[in-house]
Amino acid sequence: MAAGPKARVTAEPLSFKGYPRDRAKRRIRFIHNYLRVPRGHGAGKAVKLRDFQKEIIQGAFAPDILTALCALPRGNGKTAFAAMLGLAELFVGPPSAEVLVVASDQRQANITFNLAKRMVELNPELSERVQIYKDRLFVPHNDANLIPLPADYSALQGFDPSLLIVDELHVVTEDVWSAAVTAAGKRPESLTLAISTPAASEESVMYRLVKHGREGDDDQFYLKEYAAPDGCETSDREAWRIANPALACKDPFLSEAAIEAVRKTVREPVFRQMRLGQWVKGSDSWLPFGAWENLADVDREIHGKKIVLGFDGSASGDSTALIGCTVEPVPHVFVAGMWENPGDKRWRVPRGEVTERIRYMFQNHDVVETACDPWGFRSEIEDWAAEHGERRVIEWNTAHASRMGPATDRMYQAVVNQEITHDGSEALAAHFSHATARSTAAGDLLQKDKRNSPRKIDGAVAAVIALARAAHHAKKSKRRVVGF
């Protein structure tokens, strides 16, 4: 690519006489007639769109559709597909078509741009009609541009795209998404098309849009999801085919060997998210996918059982959790109380409510002990001990790795070996899904996914405390049994 001014295009404009007026059919015909595979499987050969790719085009470019989202695992040709659609827009889209390719950063956006550029270079009919610049492709006959951009709010200002392609929506913020859809809404037939693997968290723009699409009440929104069935084994090859259309299609360009190689080298939650297209609550999660949720027993009774309470408190930003655990061979974990900041910077933990809840538990249940992480609540813990007994309210410092490591390992083993049940609380399940583990010589220690993360784990920490102390009291009870 030579720097400086580009040579004047002298070739006659391409003729699309006889092309259908239907937006989807026009683009499919252009891709088949003019584009060649830029790399990988079938490189240099004419593109033959697979049925699943045609289905996406037909859905996204259907009449009145303004926003389209395709959730697709990695390895299914998303980036090359985006490049094909971008080039088709330049030639068979509206006059002065403007295609923006938005990705997580400029480097990723340039990958799509470079694939589009390579497709132009592979076909002389295109290369003599497209001017290739460092930062854009330009078709003078149609006054059309294709421009790669990073997912940055300021970078999206001042454009009027007929097609805005968002590559990997799972990394896009609300501000960027808002800028994208407002930029793309200026033309009567503009389309915002997002193609992405699922996000690592349900607290994301992508999950909000997936939920919106699943509701099915927006005639201007198109959603297509490819995902393995919930609860499938990661080794289930039929599930692989359901999630990966590039593996199941005629003339596949994804191999089972490639998927198996990934499965052996990444953690299960990451494999499910990236290769099975599943929504995993915390892809960096401490527990295996679905392990905690599968232990729910909402009908299990706790009245009349000996109970230990685990307490992890905070002042404002974090949540405060009071989690119970029964003292028996198969313990049952339940939420006795949980207080979370609703997003108000002025909010503070209602300490009086916490004290009243602990009083209620002692008055209405056989609470043998409340073990409390002392940070931020030392004076309250002293008051609770004075009211309920110093042997029944104790400090249990979670900062001591020698104590917390074995307790964390105990909870992990109880969950994966299905030696515990819980009340099915969604709030507690979220805290477990948010928790990641840091390995130490004393065992794993629970931590947030990153410093100052809004994803709370206090409920999981309190549950770990409760189970550890319940196990301690269960052993004491066994020692008291006298043989005859």
Side-chain angles (χ1 to χ4, degrees):
M1 177 179 61
K6 304 303 171 186
R8 181 171 175 271
V9 171
T10 58
E12 291 294 319
L14 291 175
S15 173
F16 301 111
K17 185 177 180 179
Y19 268 50
R21 295 176 62 86
D22 180 90
R23 296 168 71 203
K25 291 179 180 178
R26 284 177 67 82
R27 286 156 177 79
I28 290 171
R29 180 176 291 188
F30 175 84
I31 291 170
H32 282 163
N33 288 352
Y34 289 100
L35 299 188
R36 295 183 177 277
V37 179
R39 68 182 185 190
H41 181 85
K45 296 181 180 179
V47 170
K48 293 182 180 179
L49 290 171
R50 282 28 173 210
D51 287 345
F52 79 91
Q53 294 171 317
K54 294 177 186 177
E55 181 182 1
I56 294 170
I57 296 174
Q58 289 162 351
F61 288 92
D64 301 322
I65 295 296
L66 298 180
T67 306
L69 170 57
C70 179
L72 192 65
R74 283 186 178 174
N76 286 274
K78 295 188 299 296
T79 304
F81 185 52
M84 295 174 197
L85 293 176
L87 285 176
E89 185 75 8
L90 295 183
F91 284 93
V92 298
S96 300
E98 187 171 73
V99 180
L100 303 184
V101 178
V102 178
S104 57
D105 54 33
Q106 189 66 57
R107 183 196 63 82
Q108 183 64 35
N110 286 343
I111 292 175
T112 307
F113 173 77
N114 288 333
L115 286 175
K117 181 179 73 172
R118 182 58 180 157
M119 291 181 199
V120 168
E121 294 169 342
L122 287 171
N123 186 338
E125 289 189 278
L126 298 184
S127 62
E128 61 187 8
R129 292 171 172 84
V130 177
Q131 292 179 333
I132 300 175
Y133 294 84
K134 181 179 180 180
D135 58 354
R136 65 187 174 111
L137 301 180
F138 178 58
V139 181
H141 292 145
N142 200 26
D143 186 33
N145 287 280
L146 185 153
I147 305 169
L149 294 170
D152 180 80
Y153 182 87
S154 59
L156 294 171
Q157 303 303 308
F159 290 102
D160 180 22
S162 56
L163 175 62
L164 192 151
I165 300 172
V166 181
D167 186 16
E168 299 301 5
L169 177 63
H170 68 271
V171 299
V172 170
T173 65
E174 285 284 359
D175 285 347
V176 171
W177 178 253
S178 296
V181 294
T182 53
K186 301 174 184 177
R187 302 192 188 205
E189 282 195 338
S190 63
L191 173 67
T192 300
L193 171 61
I195 308 175
S196 180
T197 54
S201 167
E202 292 182 356
E203 299 168 5
S204 60
V205 175
M206 183 173 178
Y207 188 69
R208 177 175 63 79
L209 293 173
V210 166
K211 286 178 63 179
H212 177 73
R214 288 174 179 173
E215 291 170 358
D217 56 4
D218 185 348
D219 293 337
Q220 295 180 316
F221 191 96
Y222 170 75
L223 172 67
K224 181 63 180 178
E225 292 183 89
Y226 292 92
D230 290 339
C232 71
E233 297 292 335
T234 59
S235 58
D236 185 342
R237 302 204 169 204
E238 182 56 34
W240 294 0
R241 295 172 63 83
I242 294 171
N244 294 276
L247 176 64
C249 65
K250 183 179 179 181
D251 190 18
F253 54 89
L254 178 64
S255 71
E256 289 189 355
I259 297 177
E260 178 63 12
V262 174
R263 189 178 77 88
K264 291 178 178 178
T265 56
V266 301
R267 292 180 298 107
E268 180 179 334
V270 176
F271 179 79
R272 287 185 178 278
Q273 174 200 355
M274 294 296 183
R275 291 295 182 163
L276 296 185
Q278 294 177 327
W279 286 91
V280 181
K281 291 185 177 180
S283 64
D284 295 320
S285 148
W286 160 53
L287 293 175
F289 170 78
W292 178 259
E293 288 79 359
N294 291 338
L295 301 176
D297 185 350
V298 298
D299 297 321
R300 189 164 172 184
E301 186 59 63
I302 62 171
H303 289 284
K305 304 285 181 65
K306 291 184 182 297
I307 289 171
V308 167
L309 298 174
F311 176 78
D312 187 39
S314 69
S316 57
D318 278 339
S319 60
T320 289
L322 182 67
I323 307 297
C325 182
T326 59
V327 181
E328 54 186 327
V330 179
H332 183 71
V333 173
F334 60 95
V335 176
M338 191 175 288
W339 298 264
E340 295 190 275
N341 189 331
D344 184 351
K345 293 181 179 180
R346 299 168 298 177
W347 184 85
R348 294 294 181 269
V349 175
R351 293 169 181 258
E353 288 184 19
V354 177
T355 294
E356 284 300 319
R357 189 61 185 170
I358 289 177
R359 181 177 294 124
Y360 171 87
M361 293 302 297
F362 272 100
Q363 292 175 347
N364 292 276
H365 296 277
D366 185 6
V367 179
V368 298
E369 181 182 282
T370 299
C372 311
D373 182 42
W375 190 88
F377 268 81
R378 287 189 183 276
S379 61
E380 285 83 2
I381 293 170
E382 290 176 1
D383 292 341
W384 301 340
E387 180 177 352
H388 305 294
E390 292 183 356
R391 297 185 66 179
R392 293 208 294 167
V393 178
I394 67 168
E395 289 190 4
W396 206 90
N397 197 328
T398 59
H400 292 166
S402 60
R403 172 178 286 176
M404 194 63 181
T408 302
D409 289 342
R410 179 186 292 278
M411 175 63 82
Y412 184 90
Q413 293 301 323
V415 171
V416 298
N417 294 326
Q418 300 184 332
E419 297 169 347
I420 192 172
T421 63
H422 62 80
D423 63 354
S425 164
E426 291 186 2
L428 183 57
H431 283 227
F432 269 90
S433 73
H434 296 164
T436 63
R438 174 170 61 88
S439 296
T440 72
D444 283 345
L445 300 180
L446 295 189
Q447 62 181 16
K448 292 182 177 182
D449 55 350
K450 57 185 176 182
R451 187 180 180 88
N452 298 323
S453 171
R455 294 156 58 83
K456 309 306 181 188
I457 66 170
D458 307 83
V461 172
V464 167
I465 297 172
L467 178 63
R469 296 306 296 167
H472 168 76
H473 286 281
K475 287 182 180 179
K476 286 177 61 177
S477 297
K478 285 182 180 180
R479 287 198 295 266
R480 292 193 188 111
V481 174
V482 179
F484 293 93

